[in-house]
Amino acid sequence: EPNAYATRSQAIKGLTAPDAAHRVDAVVWIAANGTAADEKLLRPRLADDSPMVRELAERGLWILWGRSGDAEVDTLMERGAAQMQTRQFTEAVATYSDVIKRKPAFAEGWNRRATAFFLSGEFKRSLADCDEVLKRNPFHFGALAGSGQNWFHLGQYDKAITAWRRALEVNPNLEGIEDSIE
């Protein structure tokens, strides 16, 4: 039954239920109701034996990471995403810089700016922001994969492979990383 969990404690218990459908419901509940601090609950589900649980855990982590807990910052994050969509990378960098100034502990602000820098070809600045993300969230597989991409573009292939391997340790489901390592 959908939305099988009425409480947080039920959902947490459901994350390790023998039945994959219950784990799916639990992951969805945590993603819908949790905070960034709940990433430690979803991270182990990235290695679940159910592909659906793994996929939803990954999506759920992105949802949790995107919650700043501040409505103004969330509005800025949406503006930055719209700017990225229309390839206004300079504007997106400025928007995400505002996010970082307002909420420096919010790892996803740094991650989004790293992406904007990367897409602008500013690999060293992107790498510096990836490092800031990882200081705040060492399990941010997006920033780990992004670090690998930056190192690759900077011609530092050993560092790229190290970053990509770490990303895969955290999230073994990342598409294309093994191809990049090859």
Side-chain angles (χ1 to χ4, degrees), residues 4-174:
Y5 301 106
T7 67
R8 176 181 170 79
S9 60
Q10 288 175 336
I12 290 170
K13 195 172 172 204
L15 288 170
T16 55
D19 179 38
H22 286 100
R23 294 194 308 276
V24 163
D25 286 343
V27 165
V28 169
W29 195 98
I30 298 291
N33 299 288
T35 66
D38 290 323
E39 72 128 17
K40 66 187 175 301
L41 298 172
L42 293 189
R43 210 175 335 124
R45 302 281 50 98
L46 292 170
D48 198 276
D49 58 12
S50 161
M52 177 63 82
V53 171
R54 289 194 307 269
E55 181 182 333
L56 291 172
E58 182 174 323
R59 284 195 212 163
L61 284 165
W62 283 110
I63 291 168
L64 294 179
W65 291 340
R67 290 202 181 116
S68 72
D70 177 322
E72 286 180 33
V73 168
D74 291 344
T75 299
L76 286 170
M77 292 292 284
E78 288 171 22
R79 180 185 309 151
Q83 291 164 331
M84 296 279 283
Q85 205 91 55
T86 56
R87 303 187 62 77
Q88 296 175 286
F89 302 129
T90 304
E91 294 83 352
V93 164
T95 299
Y96 293 131
S97 294
D98 194 10
V99 166
I100 290 164
K101 192 173 74 187
R102 290 170 186 245
K103 199 159 179 121
F106 179 48
E108 198 56 26
W110 293 95
N111 187 56
R112 299 275 182 88
R113 191 174 76 174
T115 303
F117 278 140
F118 177 82
L119 293 170
S120 303
E122 295 189 57
F123 305 121
K124 287 182 179 169
R125 292 180 81 184
S126 178
L127 192 58
D129 277 2
C130 288
D131 288 344
E132 292 296 330
V133 175
L134 296 169
K135 282 180 195 168
R136 290 157 179 79
N137 179 356
F139 301 100
H140 196 299
F141 52 80
L144 289 163
S147 291
Q149 293 294 343
N150 282 298
W151 285 121
F152 179 84
H153 283 280
L154 293 167
Q156 301 275 329
Y157 304 120
D158 289 347
K159 288 181 179 178
I161 289 169
T162 299
W164 287 330
R165 284 196 175 128
R166 176 78 181 108
L168 281 173
E169 283 172 24
V170 176
N171 184 358
N173 312 294
L174 292 173

